[in-house]
Amino acid sequence: MLRLPVLTDVSVPGTARFVDAFAEAQALLTDHFPGPGTGEAFTEAADAARRAWRAAVGAAERIRLQGIDPAERAAVERVVKLLTTARDSDNEPERRLAYARARTELGRLDAAGVVHVPMPAQAALDAAARRELPP
């Protein structure tokens, strides 16, 4: 999301094509074999979604952070470093501080419309910042 922010932006044509192709494949997904016709349609839709994903990632890698102001680009890069520090640190206070700073900066970037933080990503970040007690 931070390195390739256009993958969260459905106004970008490649991302929109992937979202549509993935939704089409999901619509054909069943718990039980639905018969050869629907099975073949699902396989074709899943292949189309995979191709659309690869194309969207390729476009996102070319675009990266190009459309973002240099100061905001630096803020995105800071968040990546903070999240890396938080993930890799064995020091609990350092880890919590890095997550807190990353969450604050991400909130600012999200509110400014620089990046969109999807709800699952925010929930994962919140959970990682809390870190559950050992069993």
Side-chain angles (χ1 to χ4, degrees):
M1 168 199 80
L2 294 172
R3 290 187 176 101
L4 305 174
V6 298
L7 287 177
T8 65
D9 185 353
V10 293
S11 70
V12 175
T15 303
R17 281 190 293 275
F18 164 70
V19 169
D20 290 343
F22 188 71
E24 186 175 327
Q26 281 189 310
L28 295 168
L29 184 63
T30 63
D31 290 334
H32 304 289
F33 183 66
T38 304
E40 288 174 18
F42 172 76
T43 300
E44 290 172 15
D47 286 342
R50 184 181 60 232
R51 286 190 305 276
W53 173 251
R54 288 180 179 158
V57 169
E61 287 174 341
R62 286 187 298 280
I63 295 168
R64 291 216 178 252
L65 302 173
Q66 288 177 3
I68 298 176
D69 174 84
E72 292 170 333
R73 187 177 310 143
V76 169
E77 291 168 355
R78 257 191 325 276
V79 170
V80 171
K81 287 179 184 176
L82 286 165
L83 291 173
T84 301
T85 297
R87 182 195 64 206
D88 296 343
S89 178
D90 291 332
N91 181 305
E92 187 66 16
E94 178 184 49
R95 187 185 70 74
R96 286 186 183 272
L97 181 61
Y99 272 126
R101 287 184 177 166
R103 289 166 65 195
T104 298
E105 193 69 26
L106 269 177
R108 188 189 70 71
L109 291 168
D110 193 19
V114 175
V115 295
H116 170 66
V117 182
M119 290 177 74
Q122 184 63 51
L125 182 57
D126 292 344
R130 284 191 305 272
R131 188 182 255 175
E132 291 79 27
L133 294 173

